[in-house]
Amino acid sequence: MTAVAPAPPPDSRSRDVDVVCLGESMVTFRPSGPGRLADVPSFDRGIGGAESNVACALARAGHRTRWVSRVGADGFGDHLVDAISSYGVDTSAVRRDPDRPTGVYFRTPGERAIDVSPRRGTDGHLAEVLYYRSGSAASAMAPGKAVRAAARSGRILHLTGITAALSAGCLALMRELTTRHPGRPLVSFDVNYRVGLWQGTTNGPDVLAELARGCDLVFVGEDEAAAAWGLRDAAAVRAALPEPEVLVVKRGAAGATVYARREAGDGALETSTPRPADAVVSAPALRVDVVAPVGAGDAFAAGFLSGTLRGLTLHERLRHGHLMAAAALTAPGDLGEPPRRAHADRWAALDADGWERLRLGPGWTGCPAEAEDRSARVEDHTA
Ligand SMILES: Nc1ncnc2c1ncn2[C@@H]1O[C@H](COP(=O)(O)OP(=O)(O)O)[C@@H](O)[C@H]1O
Ligand SMILES: O=C(O)C(=O)C[C@H](O)[C@H](O)COP(=O)(O)O
């Protein structure tokens, strides 16, 4: 068996980026027209992967980001590295594996089932998600000196629960990276409970809770907290997960609530000794004409992380999360084009009425040259 090609030495780039995102990305195939996977004859290729989605959105928002992963030494691996690099993400720590393939997944439009017994059928609004990632290059990630150094090369390390489900080696790596020790980067974790990836195991939810407890900033959907842990609302999630300094509970279109130790609140990136009391801040989501729900959670995390890096208030961080999510929701694939920072800052500072009047529609795709055009599509009645 051929050895995995070594990545460049990472030591020279200690903390040289704002955010490192570590996890598997896949080439994604979405049906070119309506229908079930059993029926549709052709697909559009894209890229997907929770962590690289966050990296791409953060890079578009002007932050220095690095994606750490493994892909096959194949054409799909080339495509992923090229596509993710084109967003401005550093891919120098991505290793190419000549023996294992790049992961692939097929997905129809609609919401993802996060319940083991989804209430709606595939002819309703639930997506069919078919993974071809077992034995993939990324699933061979495991603890090691190079990956550890790369993971620690930013101010923030962003991880998700998806990685923990990929293999025993990936789980061991996640456990290592979420172990608390002095001097580590701020560790951010999106629970991303993927029922399909945990099938055949009984302890997925326990593992996810264990990993979340080792992190500084945790994102979870109220629906996935209910499906994974049987917790009924945001307050119950906080009661069950008091360890993270910052906990964000998302409620889709209804908004999101952040619980933060007071020291971790406005302005601070680094956190300090927890106090018993939390700051609790909620913000309603934007009104959005949804094109495709996929990628909204990743985009939300990117917006919140961007606000964290910029030292914005908790309320502004939530609103930047909602704005980034809206960009993803109004694009067909995982990634949308985020609003320009000047616009986002102005909208994030609106009063409740002004925010309520914003409405985002389709059209937030494309390249930076379309920024003016995109901003014109936002019905901003406050100007
Ligand atoms: N229907 C919607 N309208 C407006 N915003 C939404 C809607 N659905 C999701 N969002 C935004 O996307 C964010 C993530 O939603 P969530 O349902 O948790 O996504 P995911 O399931 O992809 O993780 C929400 O916090 C919100 O900002
Ligand atoms: O690896 C997986 O299982 C994935 O699902 C990768 C997906 O491209 C994103 O994670 C989109 O996820 P959402 O933002 O929750 O819609």
Side-chain angles (χ1 to χ4, degrees):
M1 182 156 133
T2 325
V4 173
D11 303 325
S12 55
R13 59 182 176 221
S14 180
R15 299 278 162 103
D16 62 342
V17 294
D18 297 318
V19 185
V20 171
C21 299
L22 181 149
E24 177 165 39
S25 296
M26 294 162 292
V27 173
T28 66
F29 290 94
R30 288 179 284 112
S32 312
R36 293 158 43 92
L37 288 180
D39 304 320
V40 291
S42 61
F43 296 83
D44 295 324
R45 185 185 66 168
I47 59 168
E51 302 83 2
S52 63
N53 286 348
V54 173
C56 290
L58 279 165
R60 270 289 197 264
H63 300 285
R64 295 168 304 155
T65 61
R66 171 169 295 131
W67 172 53
V68 178
S69 193
R70 287 192 190 199
V71 297
D74 50 29
F76 284 161
D78 292 344
H79 176 59
L80 278 180
V81 171
D82 287 351
I84 292 167
S85 301
S86 76
Y87 280 83
V89 175
D90 178 298
T91 55
S92 62
V94 177
R95 300 179 76 184
R96 308 299 300 265
D97 187 332
D99 298 313
R100 297 181 187 83
T102 303
V104 170
Y105 92 120
F106 292 76
R107 179 180 169 142
T108 60
E111 287 170 34
R112 177 194 300 273
I114 57 163
D115 205 316
V116 184
S117 315
R119 292 169 300 281
R120 285 166 288 170
T122 49
D123 51 349
H125 297 292
L126 282 179
E128 288 176 87
V129 178
L130 261 193
Y131 292 122
Y132 293 89
R133 67 197 303 184
S134 174
S136 68
S139 72
M141 288 192 294
K145 201 172 161 189
V147 73
R148 193 180 306 123
R152 293 176 182 163
S153 63
R155 295 170 69 198
I156 296 179
L157 169 63
H158 180 72
L159 304 166
T160 85
I162 293 169
T163 310
L166 299 182
S167 67
C170 284
L171 175 56
L173 177 61
M174 289 294 290
R175 285 193 161 123
E176 178 181 276
L177 296 176
T178 55
T179 299
R180 292 181 188 273
H181 64 82
R184 75 173 189 179
L186 186 147
V187 181
S188 161
F189 180 73
D190 190 336
V191 171
N192 269 348
Y193 180 42
R194 302 286 188 251
V195 177
L197 290 178
W198 289 103
Q199 266 162 10
T201 65
T202 50
N203 65 343
D206 292 341
V207 169
L208 294 172
E210 171 207 322
L211 294 172
R213 291 193 173 100
C215 297
D216 305 300
L217 165 57
V218 171
F219 300 94
V220 65
E222 206 172 54
D223 50 357
E224 55 183 354
W229 304 315
L231 299 169
R232 69 188 181 288
D233 59 21
V237 179
R238 183 49 161 170
L241 285 180
E243 294 88 354
E245 284 77 358
V246 180
L247 172 73
V248 182
V249 182
K250 300 169 289 172
R251 292 188 306 280
T257 298
V258 56
Y259 297 83
R261 303 287 178 221
R262 294 208 175 273
E263 297 89 338
D266 299 357
L269 173 61
E270 307 298 339
T271 56
S272 53
T273 314
R275 280 187 196 151
D278 268 338
V280 184
V281 179
S282 295
L286 281 162
R287 287 191 296 149
V288 178
D289 296 327
V290 177
V291 171
V294 61
D298 302 331
F300 179 92
F304 192 92
L305 287 169
S306 173
T308 302
L309 284 160
R310 296 173 58 207
L312 303 184
T313 66
L314 294 170
H315 191 250
E316 288 165 338
R317 294 179 205 183
L318 289 174
R319 279 192 167 179
H320 278 274
H322 290 320
L323 280 161
M324 290 277 236
L329 288 164
T330 52
D334 279 29
L335 289 159
E337 186 67 32
R340 283 183 297 170
R341 187 178 280 187
H343 285 102
D345 282 346
R346 188 156 72 84
W347 295 329
L350 289 170
D351 63 17
D353 285 348
W355 180 260
E356 167 69 20
R357 282 200 296 272
L358 283 177
R359 185 185 184 97
L360 273 70
W364 280 39
T365 51
C367 60
E370 292 174 320
E372 287 295 340
D373 184 43
R374 286 197 319 277
S375 63
R377 293 175 205 234
V378 175
E379 295 173 26
D380 180 355
H381 304 292
T382 61

